Amino acid sequence: MSQGVEWALHTCLNLSWLDTPVPTGTLAAFYELPPAYLNKQLQALVRAGILTSVSGPRGGFRLARDPDAVSLLDIVAAIEGPEELFRCDQILRKGPGVHTGVDYRQSCTLAQAMRGAELAWRRELAGRTVADIRADVERLHPDSPADARARITELR
């Protein structure tokens, strides 16, 4: 996975604690990220309906949905795309014992194992929301919401 996934996950978590839009530059400065690259990730989240972009001098990005309506899989898919992570290129066709007409993507034991692992991974991400992560962070680090709000205010 690209770094953009981590950036998007943390940005969505931080935005869940804020009531106002936050400009890209401020969000990038929060973790010392390159603004142009972070903006590409934020635009992908807007296209996916996870964030909304507000224009104007007090504009920026904010969550478009409640944190409990944004799964971790929504964010990963917005950044990485919906394609499967493992792609079977059917290299068995070039090995011994070739069977003409066989779709090895369906019959290869390794491809099936990888597909099963990815399905479990996607199921786990789909079952966890930004609100779940926020609750875990607030339980483990109760000062995080206030710290995030203070840092954003400081960076504006």
Side-chain angles (χ1 to χ4, degrees):
M1 262 185 270
S2 68
Q3 290 177 315
V5 171
E6 180 183 13
W7 299 358
L9 290 166
H10 281 284
T11 298
C12 287
L13 175 63
N14 288 329
L15 289 173
S16 78
W17 288 314
L18 302 165
D19 295 328
T20 60
V22 182
T24 301
T26 303
L27 292 169
F30 195 97
Y31 293 116
E32 300 178 9
L33 304 174
Y37 188 64
L38 177 62
N39 192 61
K40 288 180 183 180
Q41 312 315 309
L42 300 175
Q43 292 300 328
L45 295 171
V46 168
R47 285 189 298 277
I50 295 167
L51 297 183
T52 187
S53 177
V54 178
S55 58
R58 294 184 182 255
F61 294 91
R62 66 184 313 159
L63 284 178
R65 306 189 304 235
D66 287 333
D68 61 354
V70 179
S71 75
L72 300 184
L73 183 59
D74 293 336
I75 296 168
V76 170
I79 302 301
E80 293 293 311
E83 297 82 27
E84 293 181 356
L85 296 175
F86 178 80
R87 288 179 298 278
C88 177
D89 289 330
Q90 301 191 68
I91 65 170
L92 288 176
R93 287 183 175 175
K94 304 213 190 268
V98 175
H99 301 283
T100 307
V102 173
D103 183 352
Y104 288 105
R105 292 170 297 198
Q106 301 302 319
S107 65
C108 174
T109 305
L110 287 172
Q112 290 173 4
M114 295 302 286
R115 193 172 297 113
E118 181 160 347
L119 184 58
W121 175 77
R122 286 180 180 271
R123 215 178 275 131
E124 177 68 21
L125 292 178
R128 301 269 298 174
T129 66
V130 171
D132 296 331
I133 300 302
R134 184 173 77 178
D136 289 347
V137 169
E138 289 173 357
R139 182 176 43 79
L140 295 169
H141 309 284
D143 294 335
S144 289
D147 289 347
R149 286 189 286 272
R151 177 113 167 111
I152 291 293
T153 300
E154 167 190 313
L155 292 169
R156 283 187 183 219

